[in-house]
Amino acid sequence: MNLSQDLSNELSQRHFLDRLKKHSSNIITYFDESGQKCQKNYAALLKDVDSAAQNLSRHNMLGADKQVVICGRMGYHWFTTAVACLVSNTPFIALPESLHVDEKKASLEGLSFDGAVLDQEFLGLEPFKSLPKILLEQISDIVPSEEGGQSILMSNSAIADGAGLAKNFIAFTSGSTASKKLKAFPVSLASSLFFTKRFVELYDLGPEDNWLICHTFSHIVHFEYALGGLFWGYDITLSGVLNLLMQGAELAPSVVVTVPSVYEKLAQQIELQFARDKSEKLLDQVRSTSVFDDQGEIQRVPLSVQAKSVLGSKIKMMLIGASPSPTELQVFLLQNGLPLYEGYGMSETNMICCNTPDDSKISTVGLAWPGIELKLDDQQCICVRTAPQRADRYLNVTEAEQASSFMDDGWVNTGDIGEIDEQGFVRIVGRTKDVIVNSGGKNINPSAIETLLSGIPGVGHSVVVGDGKPYLVALLAPLESQRLPDRPTLDGYLDNINANLPDHEKVLAFVPLEQGLNEMDGTLTRSGKARRHKVIQQHETEIATLYG
């Protein structure tokens, strides 16, 4: 198959199933409802996919004219449901489970769906009350064929005879705007497989490698990483963040893709391991190791014993992204020999830029990803065109909202302000919608300042405020399940940061928050970014006191 062409002309249900059978000895590792670690080869997984398809068929949810909502926690059942839909030519809708009821309802407006596969807590919600429903944890329960289910593995099955392969599935944006409605868009299956193939090629992944997935499948890229394992033939582990942190060495990942706050916790575990080994002097030596040259090109060093004790010895690629990360964090992980690569993308385009083994530069998100065209508009906003095309429209927004993102000739406006150096490396400067205009008329990009503030030890997220005000203030939130340093310590770090900022960008006051940001109260997006409007809204009173 030639991946330089549009795969939509090459893919078929039979081809997809044959690829899965070819990799039948690869392993999927997951944790069941009781937290027990389980393992199956892809041959056993295919049987569960078959059972899921039978169950969907019995509930009249299968077919090219149907659409199925999947909503629940990331895990084996979610995955088998989605794969069963794809190989039965049934598009699915990956509805984020963390949304509140009104947000779920708003996000589904304008979308048609004929059934739902849900976690127990969502079965009685209004959008699904009159629809056929299946409990997610029961999706692979065997359904006897005489009850109406159809097997995708049986030669006499209508599905096996060529029902087709779903060409698209429906995903949602991460939800960083003030609207209750998340934007929905169709994802091309061909572009998804093209995307994961590029990972296989660029990072030299093979059948012995293990891609550990620790974030929700409704953040659709993480489902795509797992789907790539079936098609291209690498092991997959469905872990969750806690299992990664507690059992990383045992799970022995080759690939980890997660957000800066999780990497902060991994870095803390590595530091603790140095302390347990009574190797403080060695830690000082590690911290003094140079990992990039004068041009910023990253120089890789061997994996430290302490990093191996946290993540095992198979680690090949660790992608950090979704939100800005402190350079100090990246440097520490690199000094411990971890193969860290910063990347940048958005749900509608998937990967846009990424550092790779051949081309890595500190404080950049790398070069353009294969199949990506980049340009900056007059406002220095990054615009992207993908080949093959990933998404071409939203399904549930106004024409004006549509036009603000999807432009002519396949270009997508990311809304991110960027810079491209002479070698083609990209730096993300900020978001156009987040620019602060203070009372003196100065334009201020808060993103760069927030990255500095979030680099303070113990700070998980920060939000800078000051639109229409004479000076900037900040909200500082701790890392999850931790507390911030005391105020004198925070004051000292802030003084050091302000010393290197122009007057109009100095942060003159701050509110130390008692709890970290999280998805459940709406202050954090599914991709780990602070929802600025929500954080500011929740702390309006405290902010007002900072301005007297």
Side-chain angles (χ1 to χ4, degrees):
M1 185 168 57
N2 184 354
L3 286 175
S4 65
Q5 301 174 356
D6 186 348
L7 297 188
S8 62
N9 296 325
E10 311 240 7
L11 284 171
S12 69
Q13 180 208 51
R14 181 48 49 199
H15 182 215
F16 189 95
L17 291 173
D18 286 346
R19 295 283 303 196
L20 200 159
K21 291 175 185 177
K22 175 183 176 183
H23 307 305
S24 61
S25 61
N26 279 102
I27 299 295
I28 179 169
T29 301
Y30 62 97
F31 292 81
D32 64 16
E33 286 73 18
S34 67
Q36 188 72 28
K37 187 174 81 169
C38 307
Q39 288 187 320
K40 294 185 178 183
N41 60 29
Y42 287 1
L45 179 144
L46 183 54
K47 291 180 180 178
D48 288 338
V49 168
D50 187 46
S51 297
Q54 292 182 57
N55 212 345
L56 291 162
S57 175
R58 184 167 67 93
H59 286 79
N60 195 31
M61 294 188 198
L62 287 189
D65 60 339
K66 308 284 187 182
Q67 287 194 149
V68 175
V69 173
I70 309 175
C71 186
R73 71 181 185 90
M74 184 272 283
Y76 186 75
H77 302 305
W78 202 112
F79 188 55
T80 54
T81 301
V83 176
C85 287
L86 290 177
V87 298
S88 304
N89 200 15
T90 307
F92 66 86
I93 301 171
L95 183 65
E97 67 281 2
S98 60
L99 298 180
H100 296 295
V101 176
D102 56 344
E103 292 174 321
K104 285 185 173 71
K105 185 177 178 181
S107 298
L108 287 170
E109 287 177 1
L111 304 180
S112 63
F113 43 96
D114 306 277
V117 184
L118 309 165
D119 271 349
Q120 180 73 48
E121 62 188 291
F122 305 132
L123 290 176
L125 296 185
E126 182 181 340
F128 315 119
K129 281 184 178 178
S130 61
L131 293 175
K133 295 179 287 291
I134 303 173
L135 186 62
L136 191 57
E137 66 184 49
Q138 296 176 354
I139 187 63
S140 296
D141 289 355
I142 297 298
V143 180
S145 59
E146 59 264 28
E147 293 187 21
Q150 291 181 318
S151 170
I152 61 173
L153 302 180
M154 295 170 56
S155 60
N156 62 350
S157 163
I159 300 175
D161 283 345
L165 183 73
K167 301 300 184 186
N168 301 284
F169 43 91
I170 295 173
F172 292 84
T173 53
S174 62
S176 57
T177 66
S179 173
K180 288 183 179 179
K181 175 188 289 188
L182 299 188
K183 297 173 184 176
F185 58 93
V187 176
S188 156
L189 177 60
S191 73
S192 175
L193 295 174
F194 180 93
F195 162 66
T196 48
K197 178 60 173 176
R198 288 306 181 225
F199 269 106
V200 170
E201 294 172 339
L202 291 170
Y203 301 95
D204 191 27
L205 304 182
E208 302 302 318
D209 287 312
N210 173 26
W211 195 311
L212 187 146
I213 296 149
C214 59
H215 292 287
T216 175
F217 279 151
S218 60
H219 188 191
I220 202 64
V221 67
H222 298 286
F223 165 72
E224 295 176 84
Y225 298 146
L227 189 66
L230 301 188
F231 200 82
W232 303 117
Y234 49 80
D235 292 348
I236 52 179
T237 294
L238 312 182
S239 160
V241 169
L242 184 59
N243 289 320
L244 168 63
L245 296 173
M246 300 297 292
Q247 304 179 49
E250 177 189 342
L251 295 172
S254 305
V255 179
V256 173
V257 180
T258 188
V259 296
S261 60
V262 176
Y263 282 114
E264 290 274 9
K265 294 173 183 176
L266 289 171
Q268 290 172 2
Q269 288 193 327
I270 293 170
E271 288 182 306
L272 285 173
Q273 195 60 50
F274 275 102
R276 292 191 193 103
D277 296 344
K278 298 181 179 179
S279 302
E280 286 83 356
K281 289 185 178 178
L282 179 58
L283 176 58
D284 290 340
Q285 292 176 16
V286 167
R287 288 190 181 279
S288 66
T289 302
S290 175
V291 290
F292 55 90
D293 61 22
D294 293 340
Q295 284 72 47
E297 294 281 350
I298 292 174
Q299 300 169 326
R300 306 285 169 179
V301 300
L303 191 64
S304 72
V305 172
Q306 290 71 24
K308 286 181 186 178
S309 71
V310 174
L311 286 165
S313 59
K314 289 180 60 177
I315 194 74
K316 252 184 184 180
M317 193 273 279
M318 299 175 70
L319 177 62
I320 186 170
S323 60
S325 57
T327 301
E328 293 78 6
L329 169 63
Q330 293 190 39
V331 168
F332 178 73
L333 295 173
L334 290 168
Q335 287 170 331
N336 275 277
L338 289 168
L340 190 73
Y341 300 93
E342 187 172 12
Y344 160 67
M346 61 186 293
S347 301
E348 296 91 324
T349 63
N350 227 321
M351 189 68 79
I352 295 173
C353 305
C354 197
N355 286 285
T356 67
D358 291 334
D359 297 288
S360 291
K361 183 181 281 192
I362 198 74
S363 300
T364 78
V365 293
L367 302 173
W369 192 254
I372 291 289
E373 291 182 75
L374 285 179
K375 66 179 181 180
L376 301 179
D377 68 11
D378 294 340
Q379 306 300 315
Q380 296 299 107
C381 194
I382 298 171
C383 299
V384 178
R385 184 159 59 184
T386 64
Q389 189 170 36
R390 175 172 170 83
D392 59 0
R393 67 192 184 284
Y394 295 123
L395 301 172
N396 59 347
V397 303
T398 65
E399 286 297 321
E401 289 177 288
Q402 194 88 259
S404 68
S405 294
F406 292 101
M407 305 182 297
D408 293 337
D409 298 324
W411 288 95
V412 178
N413 188 325
T414 66
D416 291 313
I417 303 168
E419 299 173 347
I420 304 175
D421 70 15
E422 64 280 357
Q423 295 173 294
F425 285 91
V426 177
R427 287 181 174 83
I428 307 303
V429 178
R431 291 284 293 170
T432 53
K433 66 180 181 179
D434 292 337
V435 170
I436 292 170
V437 182
N438 68 13
S439 59
K442 289 277 191 181
N443 285 2
I444 302 167
N445 170 28
S447 179
I449 304 170
E450 289 166 351
T451 298
L452 295 173
L453 294 173
S454 296
I456 297 173
V459 175
H461 295 88
S462 61
V463 174
V464 171
V465 182
D467 206 44
K469 302 294 185 180
Y471 55 86
L472 300 181
V473 301
L475 301 166
L476 303 181
L479 290 164
E480 185 181 357
S481 304
Q482 297 187 28
R483 299 187 67 82
L484 289 171
D486 59 32
R487 182 172 280 276
T489 301
L490 289 173
D491 285 336
Y493 280 113
L494 186 58
D495 288 344
N496 290 335
I497 290 171
N498 281 334
N500 296 303
L501 294 174
D503 288 345
H504 65 282
E505 292 187 2
K506 295 183 188 299
V507 177
L508 300 190
F510 64 89
V511 176
L513 305 183
E514 292 187 4
Q515 296 182 334
L517 309 187
N518 63 84
E519 287 185 49
M520 297 310 296
D521 67 2
T523 55
L524 206 61
T525 71
R526 295 177 296 122
S527 58
K529 299 175 186 175
R531 295 178 78 178
R532 298 178 57 83
H533 67 281
K534 193 73 172 181
V535 178
I536 293 170
Q537 183 183 62
Q538 287 189 5
H539 299 282
E540 286 177 334
T541 302
E542 297 102 307
I543 292 169
T545 63
L546 299 181
Y547 289 109

